[in-house]
Amino acid sequence: SVEQQNAVTREELGHATWTLLHTMGAQYPDRPTRQQRRAATQLIASLGDVYPCHACAKHWREVLRELGPPKVGSGVELRSWLCRTHNVVNQSIGKPRFDCGAVERRWGSQGGSGAPAALCGSEGGA
Ligand code: FAD
């Protein structure tokens, strides 16, 4: 059926979500405003409520309880927190641990100067 053709697997959903989180980390500012810190914290915490793989959402809430709230004080902090947290998930599902020293090579880092052209075009707009 159409629904089956469009069905998103747990793996696809996870891969897409980690891509979002790590690319967000890559362009997160070195000196975020209070608003930016709150927004990042809420986005990450909200996955525990709205993430559409419900077993994963429950697992995410447990991981957040265990590791504490996301570290959103700077880009370096957030990238490191995301890497460690992703590794906790990796470990719990038998995936290899990722070297957090390789995060920048894998996901880039714009040092707070905004998203790269490949994501947003040179104008940075729609
Ligand atoms: P992914 O884990 O999706 O990673 C994508 C890419 O990120 C990798 O190819 C690698 O290049 C890079 N990467 C890997 N580790 C790191 C790291 N530590 N830091 C930075 N980059 C890294 N699946 C379950 O089966 N059970 C669950 O409970 C579960 N909970 C999840 C909770 C959340 C919030 C999310 C986002 C996903 C969850 N998943 C869960 C899905 C799971 O984490 C994977 O996304 C999925 O298994 C697909 O794996 P993948 O091999 O494509 O690589």
Side-chain angles (χ1 to χ4, degrees):
S1 73
V2 172
E3 286 109 81
Q4 272 163 350
Q5 277 169 15
N6 291 336
V8 174
T9 65
R10 180 184 286 205
E11 283 69 32
E12 285 169 348
L13 174 68
H15 200 94
T17 305
W18 287 121
T19 298
L20 170 65
L21 291 172
H22 290 299
T23 51
M24 205 176 79
Q27 61 143 3
Y28 192 75
D30 295 332
R31 289 197 192 79
T33 63
R34 185 143 55 95
Q35 166 66 19
Q36 287 169 322
R37 295 199 304 271
R38 191 169 22 203
T41 302
Q42 284 173 353
L43 187 146
I44 289 167
S46 296
L47 294 177
D49 299 314
V50 300
Y51 194 74
C53 157
H54 295 153
C56 303
K58 183 162 184 282
H59 183 212
W60 187 244
R61 294 196 296 273
E62 287 162 11
V63 169
L64 290 184
R65 260 200 299 278
E66 194 181 305
L67 296 186
K71 301 261 193 295
V72 295
S74 70
V76 170
E77 247 183 48
L78 181 59
R79 289 189 283 281
S80 159
W81 186 88
L82 285 168
C83 184
R84 281 184 280 121
T85 309
H86 193 166
N87 273 334
V88 170
V89 175
N90 285 343
Q91 186 176 22
S92 73
I93 60 177
K95 295 221 174 228
R97 151 171 216 93
F98 188 89
D99 170 14
C100 289
V103 163
E104 202 165 316
R105 203 174 325 131
R106 174 67 176 89
W107 299 107
S109 166
Q110 285 75 54
S113 63
L119 284 177
C120 291
S122 53
E123 306 297 309

